[in-house]
């Protein structure tokens, strides 16, 4: 049941993430997209922060089942608010048929530049999410010997660091092209630092 629930949450997360990226493309000018996307990622990471100390306090007060029910209700309220408050972008031309959308997706998959970026992006995100959601808490509990409150307080450092990183790299990505530095250079450096950090964990 937990695996099915996690899968359902993952599908919903993927849909909301891509919808947010698409919405930013529709509403923001191209030169502001990196920072707009970083703000969206900051908003999402606030959820990861809520899963640390706030979630521990909520679970201690009402139990973990009630805490999950409260979070589910808040998620539903947020979705309804987005549906009501966010305006629709006026359609340009006729809506694309499904076949045309699939053809566009295949065009992306055939692009060499996509395959230069995608493996690194998938690897970084997979390791980051696995570390945060599956590895860090058991290590803090079993190796460091922390109680539930101690684990939560240590885990909250990770999303706070992510928020700072998103804001910094988003602002930097918007600024670098003005200096003649392509955004891909920033991505390369960021992935290299991520790999270096992961290697240090193995030492």
């Amino acid at each position: 049941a937990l695996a099915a629930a996690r899968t359902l949450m993952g599908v919903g997360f993927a849909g909301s993430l891509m919808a947010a990226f698409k919405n930013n493309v529709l509403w923001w000018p191209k030169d502001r997209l990196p920072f707009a996307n970083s703000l969206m990622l900051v908003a999402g990471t606030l959820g990861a922060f809520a899963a640390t100390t706030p979630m521990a306090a909520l679970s201690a007060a009402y139990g973990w089942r009630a805490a999950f029910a409260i979070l589910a209700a808040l998620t539903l309220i947020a979705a309804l608010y987005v549906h009501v408050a966010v305006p629709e972008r006026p359609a340009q031309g006729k809506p694309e048929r499904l076949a045309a959308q699939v053809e566009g997706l295949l065009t992306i998959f055939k692009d060499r530049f996509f395959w230069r970026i995608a493996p690194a992006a998938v690897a970084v995100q997979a390791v980051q999410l696995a570390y945060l959601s599956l590895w860090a808490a058991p290590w803090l509990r079993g190796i460091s010997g922390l109680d539930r409150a101690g684990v939560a307080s240590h885990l909250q450092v990770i999303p706070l660091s992510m928020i700072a990183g998103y804001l910094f790299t988003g602002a930097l990505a918007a600024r670098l092209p003005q200096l003649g530095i392509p955004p891909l250079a920033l991505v390369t450096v960021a992935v290299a630092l991520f790999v270096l950090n992961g290697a240090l964990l193995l030492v």
Side-chain angles (χ1 to χ4, degrees), residues 57-203:
L58 203 60
S59 298
Y62 301 104
W64 71 268
R65 289 180 177 84
F68 269 77
I70 292 171
L71 291 178
L74 291 175
T75 302
L76 180 60
I77 292 171
L80 291 173
Y81 175 78
V82 170
H83 178 71
V84 172
V86 178
E88 289 286 351
R89 184 75 172 179
Q92 298 178 354
K94 296 181 180 180
E96 282 188 334
R97 294 175 302 172
L98 179 60
Q101 296 180 37
V102 172
E103 185 179 350
L105 186 62
L106 292 176
T107 301
I108 294 174
F109 285 145
K110 293 176 183 177
D111 189 274
R112 287 187 176 183
F113 183 75
F114 172 80
W115 289 109
R116 287 173 57 193
I117 300 296
V122 170
V124 166
Q125 288 297 318
V127 170
Q128 175 184 338
L129 292 175
Y131 174 84
L132 177 59
S133 61
L134 300 176
W135 186 85
W139 190 91
L140 290 170
R141 227 176 10 248
I143 306 301
S144 294
L146 299 178
D147 58 11
R148 179 178 294 181
V151 170
S153 64
H154 279 71
L155 285 180
Q156 71 182 359
V157 176
I158 299 175
L160 290 176
S161 300
M162 291 168 61
I163 288 172
Y166 287 139
L167 289 174
F168 175 73
T169 54
L172 201 58
R175 175 64 177 164
L176 287 179
Q178 301 175 12
L179 303 176
I181 303 174
L184 186 59
L186 176 61
V187 174
T188 303
V189 172
V191 170
L193 291 174
F194 184 88
V195 173
L196 176 61
N197 180 68
L200 291 175
L201 290 175
L202 299 175
V203 177

Side-chain angles (χ1 to χ4, degrees), residues 17-86:
L17 181 67
M18 292 304 103
F21 280 138
K22 175 63 176 179
N23 193 59
N24 285 346
V25 170
L26 292 175
W27 286 99
W28 289 80
K30 186 177 180 180
D31 61 334
R32 299 293 294 168
L33 268 180
F35 191 64
N37 287 337
S38 71
L39 291 179
M40 184 269 297
L41 291 171
V42 165
T45 308
L46 289 175
F49 172 76
T52 58
T53 302
M55 184 62 176
L58 203 60
S59 298
Y62 301 104
W64 71 268
R65 289 180 177 84
F68 269 77
I70 292 171
L71 291 178
L74 291 175
T75 302
L76 180 60
I77 292 171
L80 291 173
Y81 175 78
V82 170
H83 178 71
V84 172
V86 178

